[in-house]
Each structure stands twice: as C-alpha cells, then as structure tokens.
Amino acid sequence: MLTAIRGAMLTFKDDPFEKAMKDCMVHESDAIILIEDGKIKDVGPAADMLKKVPAGVEITSYKDSVIVPGFIDTHVHYPQTQMIGAYGEQLLDWLNNYTFVAEQQFANKDHADEVAEVFLGECLKNGVTSATVYCTVFPQSVDAFFEAAEKRNMRVQAGKITMDRFAPEALLDTPQRAYDESAALAKKWHGRGRAEYVITPRFAPTSTPEQLEMVGQLARDFPTALIQSHVSENVSEVEWVKSLFPDCGSYTGVYDKYGLMRERAIYGHGIHLTEEELEIFHATGAAVAHCPTSNFFLGSGAFNVKKAKESRRPIKVGLATDLGAGTSFSMLQTLNEAYKAAQLNGNALSAGHAYYLASRGSAQAIGLEDKIGSIAPGFEADLAVIDLYSTPIISYRMKYAKDFAEALFIQMTLGDDRAISATYVAGKKVYDRDAAR
C-alpha cells in the first residue's frame, strides 16, 4: 500500500562536521515522500514526484512546515519519567536520593507498564521515533518497555541495568544473574520486529570487576547488540572511578579493559574526557551521547562537540535527552541546550549541525545509519513534521527570518512539543497534534 506526504523537507547525506554543509544538507522547499510497507520508496522535488505517484494514492500535505527524519534519542532512562524535575543535588547524591528510590518501584510490572506507556506517548508527541533506553535491574521492566514499543512498531533499543554494588540491596544483581537475565532478554527481544537489546552496565562504579567480566562475556556472546553506559559525567565521579579501578588509567580505560569499547557502544555525557580517552573512542568506533539538559541540570559541565569531532580523530556523537535528569522530552529544546553548551566552550553550533546530530548523527552513533535518521529511498519511514508557526511568538519571529537556516534556528531555540504537528512511525501517522487537542 502506497502513501505519500508533501511539504518542505530537511535531511542529510553526510556529516557537516567533516564536510561542507552544502555537500551534506538536503533541503527541498516542496518535496513528496512516497512510502510503501513502512519504508521510503522514493523522494524528491514535488514537480518530479507528481509524475511518479500512481493515480489514487492520497497525498497528505503540510504547509508552513518542514518534514524531518524522526528524532533519535540516544540516551534516556524511561523509569525516571516519574521524577523529572527532582530538585537539587549533583550526580551521586541525586542517584541515591531520587533515582534509586524510583527504580525500586519497577519490580511491579503494572507500574513499569504504566510508565512505559506515558514515556513512549511523550516521545511521539515530541517527534522522537527511536530511543536507546535504560530500563532497571528488573527484567520485567525491560519486557514492559519492549511490549509498549512493539504495539507502536517503534524502532527502539533497550536493556536491563546490571549493578552489583553501591546501590540499595533491592536494585542489586550478581555477576551471574546479570549475565543470565541479560542473555535471556537478548534472546527474547534482540531482532524481534524493530527491537534491539542493549547490554547495559549502569556505570563503572556500580559493577565489581567480576561483574564487568561477565558483561564483557555478554558483549562477546552478542556481538551485534549495542552496549550503553555512562562515562566522565561529573568530576567527583571521575575521581571515584580512578580510586576503584587504579590499574585502568582512565574512566574509559575501565570499559576498554573489559571489552566494552567497540562499534555500537555508546556512552552518555563524556564531558571530562581526556585526549587519551578521546583517542580510545576514535580507535574503537565507540560513541558519546551528548546530554546537554541533564549536564546543566546537575551542574556537571558542558560537553565540547567541536573538540569531539576534530578532524584528526573524530568520534561519533549522538544527541540525547537523558531524562529524568534531562528536563524535556523535546529534541528541539535539547538542541537549544546543545547550542548553549557549544557557546560555553567558545564555539557556535549552527542549526544545520544541530539537526544533523539529532538525526543522521545519532543514527550513526548507534550503528543504525543504514535504517533510520535520513529521508532517502530504502530508509524506514520514521518522520516528524515541524510546524514553523506553532506559537504566537514563533510566528512573529518568523516574519524576520532571512533564510531557511535562520528558520531552523528559531525552531530549536523557541520550539517545543507544540511545534510537532505530526509524527510517523514506519509510514503510519501515530501522532497528530491537532487531533490530540
């Protein structure tokens, strides 16, 4: 069954951090995207595509909008949905006082089901069509998330957290349990529909060397699975890791020692990475998930995207909300904060570079750049439609936008969930802002 949508379109065919923007960004002021069986069959200027769209195929048109690849959130904790905006504390105290308290409730499958439904509903409302997700230590929290995503046919990646120390007893597993439960979940979910399992040690301090050995074995036994964790988020955390693993040389060195630095491994934050650590990321193909709203909320610092992407040893960088230390489901607001992080590092982040990070860049970071993150034939038809005039102040500001780049920048600084007028998953409209009102 063929369907088609029409409107202005933005996508990327290469990395503008490495090549000229004009050779990477694809902007059509009037395009038609032809969709068949959940994938993009053809796309191009409407003048050309109108000749290719078969008679009888309905074309849905979006005026005063831009169609973009569905946003990809590369690092997010769905169990923390209930504690977004928890006051005070820096990372380690925040974990103990809020996160670990909330996560204990996920022993109850009904509670996990409820939160997964709310989380995914908010993702779609914000144009986020794919996410790489932390569940909890409880296997039922993983099942709840994948079940909710499967109903929506979303491409998601998620895993059970493994940790066997420095957390409440109710949230601890053991090295063997971490392996057994993770392996069982991977066999159940990895590659089922649009789901992928993610090997998920919470972060180096909460796993003993014995557990990290078992996690490394998981990585060898499931070579196509993603790996996710946290790295170098907070200065005190970095010093703590050095004291716990004095023989590893660095925080990144811990993951490298246990075989967890590879293609399709992604680590949240990376704010305080040394040059030596960045070299390890580059050499292994591992990626950093840039989490600007949570980095600012917890006072952790400002990740330097420009430094990470230096041409002599570029590393892969995805964009992430990192809820619930992150404070918004909106990828537009996440881009807003990413711009500020760049400014604090003495750099600018153009709208083109920002939207690249939220789409093709994030897809590359999690090794899915052949499936999602671009609008091109053969790609899965996960799309978001941004209304360029979603609020009175944006409408007023747009009167003075001199070009498309400025229009995009206005959206990422002033836009939020109200700017997403529609979201498509595998070619099916799953969110309609006007119908939801």
Side-chain angles (χ1 to χ4, degrees):
M1 181 177 175
L2 290 172
T3 58
I5 62 175
R6 179 176 183 174
M9 182 195 79
L10 170 69
T11 190
F12 295 86
K13 60 182 181 182
D14 217 323
D15 185 348
F17 287 94
E18 297 182 1
K19 297 182 179 180
M21 184 64 72
K22 65 180 177 61
D23 297 324
C24 301
M25 180 191 285
V26 178
H27 167 227
E28 293 288 349
S29 59
D30 184 16
I32 290 178
I33 304 166
L34 189 62
I35 299 166
E36 183 177 42
D37 297 329
K39 292 188 176 181
I40 297 169
K41 181 178 175 66
D42 204 352
V43 60
D48 298 333
M49 288 295 297
L50 283 170
K51 305 166 191 171
K52 299 181 180 182
V53 178
V57 172
E58 181 182 355
I59 300 176
T60 301
S61 294
Y62 292 98
K63 297 187 182 301
D64 297 327
S65 302
V66 60
I67 304 164
V68 298
F71 293 127
I72 301 167
D73 191 344
T74 61
H75 180 107
V76 61
H77 300 257
Y78 100 85
Q80 295 177 21
T81 302
Q82 67 196 69
M83 46 169 284
I84 296 170
Y87 168 76
E89 317 293 350
Q90 291 204 333
L91 174 64
L92 300 179
D93 290 327
W94 186 84
L95 283 171
N96 287 313
N97 293 338
Y98 298 115
T99 304
F100 292 154
V101 175
E103 290 191 3
Q104 291 180 61
Q105 298 175 45
F106 286 76
N108 182 330
K109 174 65 158 49
D110 289 341
H111 180 73
D113 288 337
E114 173 192 305
V115 178
E117 289 290 326
V118 172
F119 172 83
L120 290 172
E122 288 295 314
C123 284
L124 295 175
K125 181 180 177 182
N126 283 277
V128 174
T129 55
S130 185
T132 304
V133 177
Y134 290 69
C135 301
T136 71
V137 71
F138 304 111
Q140 57 267 38
S141 73
V142 182
D143 287 334
F145 178 77
F146 277 130
E147 287 163 8
E150 189 171 58
K151 287 192 297 185
R152 296 164 171 84
N153 195 26
M154 293 176 69
R155 180 164 286 286
V156 295
Q157 308 81 48
K160 162 196 148 68
I161 281 175
T162 67
M163 56 181 177
D164 64 345
R165 63 177 176 177
F166 301 127
E169 186 68 29
L171 291 178
L172 298 179
D173 54 14
T174 65
Q176 191 62 51
R177 214 179 104 204
Y179 181 91
D180 292 344
E181 292 180 349
S182 299
L185 287 162
K187 289 172 183 175
K188 180 177 181 179
W189 289 107
H190 191 58
R192 173 169 153 179
R194 302 184 77 199
E196 292 194 51
Y197 190 76
V198 189
I199 297 164
T200 309
R202 176 169 229 120
F203 68 148
T206 49
S207 288
T208 59
E210 294 75 20
Q211 185 172 77
L212 289 173
E213 290 278 5
M214 294 299 275
V215 173
Q217 186 61 50
L218 266 175
R220 290 188 290 276
D221 292 345
F222 295 91
T224 65
L226 278 84
I227 300 168
Q228 66 180 351
S229 194
H230 299 76
V231 71
S232 199
E233 178 177 358
N234 172 284
V235 172
S236 298
E237 170 210 21
V238 172
E239 293 306 310
W240 188 29
V241 171
K242 287 180 181 177
S243 71
L244 292 171
F245 299 93
D247 60 329
C248 290
S250 67
Y251 200 152
T252 303
V254 177
Y255 297 123
D256 199 30
K257 175 180 178 178
Y258 292 101
L260 302 175
M261 296 293 290
R262 70 181 189 197
E263 297 279 346
R264 305 203 77 208
I266 185 161
Y267 291 86
H269 307 288
I271 303 166
H272 308 289
L273 292 172
T274 64
E275 182 57 37
E276 179 186 19
E277 289 176 285
L278 289 167
E279 293 281 359
I280 296 173
F281 272 86
H282 173 71
T284 59
V288 168
H290 181 18
C291 310
T293 74
S294 68
N295 293 344
F296 290 148
F297 186 72
L298 294 178
S300 301
F303 176 69
N304 192 335
V305 173
K306 185 175 181 181
K307 181 180 178 183
K309 301 292 285 184
E310 284 180 357
S311 59
R312 59 194 175 86
R313 52 105 193 91
I315 69 170
K316 298 170 187 173
V317 177
L319 197 70
T321 63
D322 192 29
L323 299 166
T327 52
S328 177
F329 280 88
S330 171
M331 198 59 75
L332 295 173
Q333 279 303 295
T334 304
L335 292 175
N336 183 9
E337 299 304 303
Y339 173 80
K340 295 170 188 174
Q343 287 283 44
L344 287 170
N345 282 299
N347 308 316
L349 183 70
S350 76
H353 289 88
Y355 284 83
Y356 168 81
L357 285 177
S359 55
R360 186 184 174 99
S362 284
Q364 182 190 46
I366 56 174
L368 291 174
E369 68 270 29
D370 60 333
K371 293 180 174 65
I372 57 174
S374 299
I375 302 176
F379 279 77
E380 294 168 358
D382 293 345
L383 306 163
V385 182
I386 301 173
D387 175 0
L388 298 175
Y389 299 85
S390 60
T391 67
I393 191 60
I394 291 176
S395 295
Y396 181 76
R397 178 64 180 86
M398 284 289 290
K399 287 170 59 177
Y400 299 94
K402 64 181 183 294
D403 55 24
F404 182 63
E406 186 169 6
L408 287 177
F409 192 74
I410 290 166
Q411 305 309 311
M412 73 182 236
T413 51
L414 299 179
D416 53 29
D417 61 299
R418 294 169 292 179
I420 305 300
S421 62
T423 304
Y424 289 79
V425 167
K428 179 182 177 182
K429 186 191 291 186
V430 293
Y431 172 72
D432 185 318
R433 179 196 60 194
D434 296 337
R437 283 175 173 168

